[in-house]
Amino acid sequence: MEKYSDFLKRINYQQAELQIAQGDFVPNGRVCQKVNSDNSFKPFFGDTVVFNLGNRYKSQLAALTDELYKSSSECFCQKLAADTYHVTLHDLGASDSLDSISSEVFYNEIKLISLLRKYPISSEKIKMKSNFIINMVNTSLVLTLIPEDAKEWDKLQELYSLIDQIKLCPYPFLTPHVTLAYFKGFNQESSEKLKAKVTEMNQQSIEITLHTKKLFYQKFVDMNSYSNIFCLHA
């Protein structure tokens, strides 16, 4: 498991000033898998394990998103519904083709049910605080989170390692975050305006407590449509 000190070093690149290259912004090609040319969400299928968030946190996050769209709506595609806000513990399957992913998702669910019978998840709270709103590899603006201390980080890592037995993530480390908005292309003027707004917003922070009673196995059919299948907490 990654140590808390190593995690803090790894996320040291995160800072209050939004990191976006000079000139016109072109989003990561992976956005095209999820977003249509009219900026609505495409069908995109898969499954995941996430911490659902309480209404109070969702309201706080919705206020942040509203502020971003009020300032720089031309930078983003369709707005995410507040009900979708979550903190991903571990991604599982994902594809823009239902036929290619359906079998994998079916077996992921079966494997997870079997795993939880062997290793039931107890009731646990994990205290987090926001770090910064950042550019996540030119796909989206996300609010990154950090655990309060090493003890809280270890709780997350134990859960992550458990789900890793179902399927290894393509990326080796967990970077807790909430996705606020997906990018679309925009010009230099909009880029500078967005950078100024995010820098201003990064002067504030919020606290979020995750709870295993809200840790769900979810399936999705696009980035605005997630369904709770079952809670991992016994």
Side-chain angles (χ1 to χ4, degrees), residues 68-69 72-78 141 181-184 194:
L68 288 167
Y69 273 77
S72 303
S73 61
E74 73 275 14
C75 298
F76 309 116
C77 72
Q78 177 184 352
L141 269 189
Y182 284 92
F183 286 126
K184 65 178 181 180
L194 179 60

Side-chain angles (χ1 to χ4, degrees), residues 144-160:
T144 57
L145 304 173
I146 56 176
E148 187 177 80
D149 54 33
K151 181 180 177 182
E152 303 302 290
W153 173 246
D154 288 345
K155 292 177 189 177
L156 263 184
Q157 283 292 282
E158 287 173 8
L159 291 168
Y160 182 86

Side-chain angles (χ1 to χ4, degrees), residues 42-95:
K42 284 182 177 180
F44 192 73
F45 310 97
D47 58 344
T48 184
V49 175
V50 310
F51 288 97
N52 206 345
L53 299 173
N55 290 334
R56 176 167 64 91
Y57 299 136
K58 287 180 178 179
S59 294
Q60 289 178 297
L61 294 164
L64 293 178
T65 302
D66 287 346
E67 195 171 347
L68 288 167
Y69 273 77
K70 184 178 179 180
S71 167
S72 303
S73 61
E74 73 275 14
C75 298
F76 309 116
C77 72
Q78 177 184 352
K79 185 182 285 189
L80 291 166
D83 280 348
T84 69
Y85 293 140
H86 60 263
V87 177
T88 300
L89 173 66
H90 198 296
D91 285 320
L92 291 170
S95 174

Side-chain angles (χ1 to χ4, degrees), residues 189-204:
E189 181 181 356
S190 292
S191 178
E192 293 302 323
K193 183 172 62 170
L194 179 60
K195 287 172 70 174
K197 186 60 181 178
V198 170
T199 299
E200 172 195 323
M201 294 174 68
N202 276 332
Q203 304 312 306
Q204 56 186 316

Side-chain angles (χ1 to χ4, degrees), residues 100-127:
S100 69
I101 199 68
S102 57
S103 177
E104 179 183 342
V105 168
F106 173 80
Y107 285 109
N108 286 343
E109 182 175 357
I110 298 300
K111 290 175 186 176
L112 182 55
I113 291 171
S114 177
L115 184 68
L116 293 173
R117 286 174 179 165
K118 293 180 182 178
Y119 306 104
I121 293 175
S122 60
S123 178
E124 194 81 75
K125 292 181 179 180
I126 304 172
K127 297 179 181 178

